């Protein structure tokens, strides 16, 4: 069974050029899906079927050339199973499970201000 490399792109990305680059690299029209939505606020999603690490790296390179926001490798999924809702659920679950960097925490030391002996 193949794997799916899913890429998230900004809505203004040129998906026609992405399709052309995938096909020039040897991916068939049946090897990828460009999900088009009417919602201009949601990012564009593209899935590519990859059978080995070399093909995954090749697709990831193409995604990088088209400024992919983030890529996800979904194991044991065929392109026929990669409908929009299934891929989106996988990405949402992956993002919830990912540990995000927290902002820098500043610890303030003791000062010569008020203390517990102040009476009102």
């Amino acid at each position: 069974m193949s794997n799916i490399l899913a890429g998230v792109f900004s809505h203004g990305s040129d998906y026609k050029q992405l399709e052309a680059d995938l096909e020039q690299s040897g991916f068939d029209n049946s090897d990828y899906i460009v999900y088009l939505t009417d919602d201009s606020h949601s990012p564009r999603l593209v899935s590519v079927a990859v059978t080995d690490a070399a093909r995954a790296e090749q697709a990831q390179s193409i995604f990088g050339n088209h400024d992919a926001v983030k890529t996800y490798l979904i194991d044991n999924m065929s392109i026929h199973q990669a409908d929009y809702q299934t891929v989106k659920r996988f990405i949402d679950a992956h993002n919830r499970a990912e540990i995000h960097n927290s902002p820098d925490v500043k610890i303030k030391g003791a000062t010569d201000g008020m203390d517990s002996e102040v009476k009102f």
Side-chain angles (χ1 to χ4, degrees), residues 9 13 30 55 66 73:
F9 298 86
S13 62
S30 60
R55 294 290 278 177
H66 287 274
L73 184 63

Side-chain angles (χ1 to χ4, degrees), residues 87-106:
V87 173
K88 189 169 181 325
R89 272 197 305 270
F90 173 84
I91 290 172
D92 289 343
H94 184 272
N95 286 339
R96 281 192 302 272
E98 191 175 76
I99 298 173
H100 297 282
N101 291 335
S102 62
D104 291 337
V105 177
K106 295 180 182 177

Side-chain angles (χ1 to χ4, degrees), residues 15-76:
Y15 72 92
K16 288 289 189 186
Q17 185 60 46
L18 175 64
E19 289 176 344
D21 289 350
L22 286 170
E23 289 181 11
Q24 287 175 357
S25 295
F27 290 98
D28 291 332
N29 190 21
S30 60
D31 289 339
Y32 65 88
I33 301 172
V34 177
Y35 307 95
L36 300 176
T37 61
D38 293 333
D39 185 10
S40 63
H41 298 293
S42 66
R44 181 162 287 135
L45 187 61
V46 178
S47 295
V48 178
V50 293
T51 53
D52 57 19
R55 294 290 278 177
E57 188 174 314
Q58 185 179 23
Q60 187 144 6
S61 173
I62 294 168
F63 284 2
N65 292 340
H66 287 274
D67 298 324
V69 176
K70 191 148 184 179
T71 59
Y72 302 88
L73 184 63
I74 306 172
D75 295 325
N76 299 323

